[in-house]
Amino acid sequence: EVQLAESGGGSVQTGGSLRLSCKASGVIDSKTVTCWGWFRQAPGKEREGVAGIYTSGLGPYYADSVKGRFTISLDNAENTVYLQMNSLKPEDTALYYCAARLTYGQSWSEAYWYSYWGQGTQVTVSS
């Protein structure tokens, strides 16, 4: 069984930085995963795509709200994906999830197509 485990969340002040990590364990082949994504969900809001990166080398891609502040990176050998978050704002406060997709042809930001999800890690940014 594949499991994704996020870490690195926490509480910071506006302008601070955090680095999220997501490591896959179980029977997962980095050549089978086509895309890794980071999503977030704030209370009362829908889950939204934050960043995505394809194992083929395409990307990375970012939501407009985080462009220039967040960086997604991938270590295929370690089956680990990272999200470096800089210049954090209160509106970045949310539960952050990593996800892995096995399919082709869909936008990185479409959550429906992801097969594996982590349990989420909380990011709280105070003003």
Side-chain angles (χ1 to χ4, degrees):
E1 181 180 352
V2 174
Q3 292 185 328
L4 303 183
E6 302 104 335
S7 61
S11 298
V12 296
Q13 292 187 329
T14 297
S17 298
L18 286 172
R19 189 191 194 209
L20 306 184
S21 299
C22 172
K23 184 170 180 60
S25 61
V27 183
I28 188 167
D29 183 348
S30 62
K31 296 181 181 178
T32 301
V33 174
T34 60
C35 184
W36 293 89
W38 283 98
F39 293 78
R40 66 185 181 187
Q41 187 166 20
K45 295 187 177 181
E46 293 187 355
R47 187 172 298 189
E48 64 170 343
V50 175
I53 188 167
Y54 290 86
T55 55
S56 64
L58 289 175
Y61 302 95
Y62 299 97
D64 288 343
S65 59
V66 306
K67 280 181 182 176
R69 300 187 298 121
F70 290 13
T71 302
I72 186 173
S73 59
L74 176 62
D75 185 338
N76 274 319
E78 295 294 326
N79 281 327
T80 301
V81 62
Y82 303 95
L83 186 68
Q84 178 66 43
M85 305 185 296
N86 298 328
S87 302
L88 283 161
K89 305 175 181 179
E91 50 264 45
D92 295 318
T93 295
L95 191 60
Y96 283 71
Y97 300 88
C98 69
R101 201 178 81 191
L102 309 182
T103 58
Y104 292 95
Q106 303 83 22
S107 169
W108 67 269
S109 62
E110 294 182 23
Y112 174 83
W113 298 105
Y114 285 79
S115 300
Y116 304 109
W117 291 83
Q119 80 288 351
T121 185
Q122 179 67 38
V123 172
T124 302
V125 185
S126 58
S127 57

